[in-house]
Amino acid sequence: MLRRALLSSATLALAAAGTLARPFPAMAQAGTQVGTPPGWRRFAVTTRVTIPDAGGAQLWLPLAQTAGGYQASAGLDWQSNATAAVVQDSRYGTDILRVTWDGNTAGPKAIDVVQTIVTCDRQGASALLPVTAAERRFWLEPTESVPVDGIVRSTAERIVGGRTDPKEKLRALYDWVVDNTSRNPETPGCGFGDVKSMLESGNLSGKCADINGLMTALARGAGLPARDVYGIRVAASRYFRTMGASGIISKAQHCRSEVYLEGSGWFPLDPADVRKVILDHKLPVESAEVMDLREKLFGMWEMNWVGYNSATDIQLPGAAAQQKPNFAFLMYPCAFTSAGQPDCLNPARFQYEITAREVSA
């Protein structure tokens, strides 16, 4: 439950730092209005799910996290003909909305969920939240998708070489990932994040969960606590069109990385978006536009994006042992019905829609 413990102190850290006029509660009561401070943006993200299959069904929806200095959950409301509750997974303490319909539900099984989130662009390392030695060890541990020994560790050590300064080590790893990976538009969804297979095959192509997952694994292999943050784009980007989304965002999921630097805090980076811009905008790696973005994304997150969680190889709370999500992370709606598991990459057939709008209140 280390992740939960880390996030639970976020609003206190925000208030202590003077960043917010007042702390945003981790979950406000429905209808509560909390002012948006200068420099912050407020978004309403609505998820609508309809499950037409007969019989009972379960649904798990990722919820926006509160994270020190750049994002806070300011409200959560839902309407449904189901039983719904906020639960946490056992390893990370990630907030998840679990929804259950029994076999006697009359009519379509449906739910509308509205999350209100405030964000502020993230620049440089964040020391707002204290990180214990236990938490640092936690974010060095391997998972099935993010191993840290074998080829991962040997690759990280080769890249880092004789460097000892944490930020210099991280920069070497970041530059290697940008230079040696490529974005593959045919990769399903955001990718699978199978780091070991990528390194063993030498095929370092994929999408954000692959490229940034590789970044996270290499950082851990080099002795730097690191984690992926799974989320979704909610507004247009001021840098490149393909780094943003608005309106209907059902397919706008995006994974980012952050690495803990001793004495500085959590440091944001996003090599996957560098590779995305290179491909989508047909720009040479050495072009001025790419070089500028490369520098920006080593230490910056534009918060036209909302982070859900860092739960890799997640175990869904309340799910049966054989019920595994399509991917090793909860970045999409995940359901199990009498007809099986709907494809989370096909919103029209699954029958869900996610929309985002910026609000001024």
Side-chain angles (χ1 to χ4, degrees):
M1 296 292 285
L2 289 172
R3 179 63 171 170
R4 179 63 179 172
L6 176 64
L7 294 180
S8 65
S9 60
T11 53
L12 295 177
L14 287 167
T19 307
L20 296 177
R22 49 179 164 163
F24 287 95
M27 190 164 33
Q29 295 294 321
T32 300
Q33 292 296 316
V34 184
T36 307
W40 287 70
R41 305 171 72 180
R42 174 182 291 259
F43 298 98
V45 178
T46 300
T47 303
R48 295 184 173 93
V49 182
T50 302
I51 296 178
D53 300 340
Q58 289 192 86
L59 170 71
W60 291 263
L61 295 176
L63 298 177
Q65 65 182 5
T66 290
Y70 65 91
Q71 176 178 301
S73 173
L76 174 64
D77 194 13
W78 65 81
Q79 293 183 342
S80 179
N81 57 355
T83 300
V86 177
V87 297
Q88 290 80 37
D89 80 287
S90 59
R91 176 174 171 81
Y92 297 90
T94 295
D95 283 339
I96 300 166
L97 187 64
R98 183 188 175 200
V99 188
T100 305
W101 290 270
D102 63 32
N104 299 318
T105 301
K109 293 174 276 290
I111 187 168
D112 278 20
V113 180
V114 180
Q115 300 185 66
T116 304
I117 308 104
V118 292
T119 72
C120 180
D121 282 356
R122 185 178 182 187
Q123 186 69 52
S126 172
L128 288 179
L129 294 176
V131 181
T132 67
E135 287 167 346
R136 293 197 295 274
R137 289 194 299 270
F138 181 81
W139 295 111
L140 282 168
E141 291 177 5
T143 69
E144 183 178 352
S145 297
V146 187
V148 298
D149 58 358
I151 193 170
V152 175
R153 177 160 292 148
S154 62
T155 302
E157 290 175 346
R158 174 171 53 82
I159 296 166
V160 167
R163 296 174 180 85
T164 57
D165 178 77
K167 192 169 184 180
E168 290 179 3
K169 292 166 67 173
L170 180 58
R171 183 63 200 233
L173 295 168
Y174 172 83
D175 284 338
W176 188 91
V177 171
V178 170
D179 289 335
N180 289 277
T181 60
S182 62
R183 181 175 172 85
N184 180 0
E186 302 303 318
T187 299
C190 287
F192 296 95
D194 188 349
V195 171
K196 184 179 179 182
S197 294
M198 291 172 68
L199 289 172
E200 288 179 342
S201 68
N203 180 4
L204 304 184
S205 67
K207 289 185 180 174
C208 56
D210 303 307
I211 296 172
N212 285 339
L214 178 61
M215 179 74 250
T216 294
L218 290 173
R220 291 186 188 178
L224 302 173
R227 59 195 181 200
D228 295 313
V229 184
Y230 306 104
I232 193 166
R233 304 184 200 266
V234 295
S237 171
R238 62 180 179 274
Y239 298 112
F240 288 91
R241 173 184 51 80
T242 55
M243 287 172 57
S246 59
I248 298 176
I249 59 168
S250 304
K251 295 185 177 183
Q253 290 79 11
H254 181 56
C255 164
R256 287 174 163 172
S257 296
E258 60 181 355
V259 177
Y260 184 78
L261 298 179
E262 195 69 40
S264 299
W266 287 104
F267 188 83
L269 59 163
D270 194 346
D273 257 359
V274 180
R275 297 307 315 191
K276 178 177 176 63
V277 165
I278 289 169
L279 176 70
D280 292 350
H281 296 268
K282 299 180 173 58
L283 292 170
V285 176
E286 66 276 7
S287 66
E289 298 96 325
V290 170
M291 296 301 291
D292 180 63
L293 182 67
R294 181 179 185 141
E295 292 303 312
K296 282 187 172 71
L297 295 186
F298 183 74
M300 188 273 283
W301 285 353
E302 182 187 11
M303 288 305 295
N304 62 334
W305 166 93
V306 166
Y308 290 137
N309 61 74
S310 294
T312 304
D313 299 306
I314 189 170
Q315 299 293 315
L316 297 172
Q322 70 274 17
Q323 291 178 323
K324 305 290 186 183
N326 296 120
F327 293 89
F329 39 80
L330 189 64
M331 189 161 41
Y332 309 89
C334 178
F336 289 92
T337 75
S338 57
Q341 182 177 186
D343 182 2
C344 65
L345 300 184
N346 190 340
R349 189 163 184 176
F350 190 125
Q351 293 197 25
Y352 73 83
E353 181 180 85
I354 307 173
T355 59
R357 63 184 179 89
E358 190 164 0
V359 293
S360 57

